[in-house]
Amino acid sequence: MIILFILHFVNTSVNPKWQPISVYAIGTAGWLMNIAFFLLGISFLTLGLYLIKNFPKTGAKVGGILLILASLGNFLAGIFNTDPISTLPDQMTMSGQIHNSAAGYWVL
């Protein structure tokens, strides 16, 4: 979250009011957004595993599994950058398609 906060000042061309945060991954400071995605994925993964291991209730186990799925989405979003927001659907790159598909995992 701190990296994302810093990116708001490093890349002022992105307007987070109407553009997804994935757009920060495009450009010279994009590696920071990729790191942020990986760190968020690690935090979801470790919390999910902790819940599954340490809480016996079914709800905690389901929540842990959902967090693990969300972590996979974040890892994919960190590996595959999105396309610019103006890209038409039929002109999207494979990386952009994978990134957009992964977004569905981490917004569970």
Side-chain angles (χ1 to χ4, degrees):
M1 291 292 124
I2 292 171
I3 293 173
L4 186 56
F5 179 76
I6 292 169
L7 277 168
H8 290 323
F9 299 102
V10 171
N11 188 349
T12 57
S13 66
V14 177
N15 185 349
K17 291 181 182 176
W18 65 273
Q19 290 177 301
I21 60 170
S22 297
V23 177
Y24 283 121
I26 302 171
T28 56
W31 60 274
L32 284 172
M33 190 64 228
N34 292 338
I35 289 173
F37 277 130
F38 281 117
L39 292 174
L40 191 58
I42 290 168
S43 67
F44 285 170
L45 178 65
T46 55
L47 180 58
L49 292 172
Y50 178 82
L51 288 174
I52 290 171
K53 183 178 178 184
N54 294 307
F55 291 90
K57 301 234 178 198
T58 304
K61 303 239 186 258
V62 170
I65 291 169
L66 291 175
L67 281 168
I68 292 170
L69 287 174
S71 75
L72 296 175
N74 276 282
F75 291 136
L76 287 173
I79 295 169
F80 300 100
N81 287 341
T82 189
D83 291 320
I85 199 150
S86 60
T87 305
L88 297 174
D90 60 334
Q91 295 176 341
M92 289 183 70
T93 64
M94 183 61 73
S95 177
Q97 291 175 4
I98 293 171
H99 180 91
N100 290 345
S101 297
Y105 286 118
W106 71 277
V107 290
L108 293 172

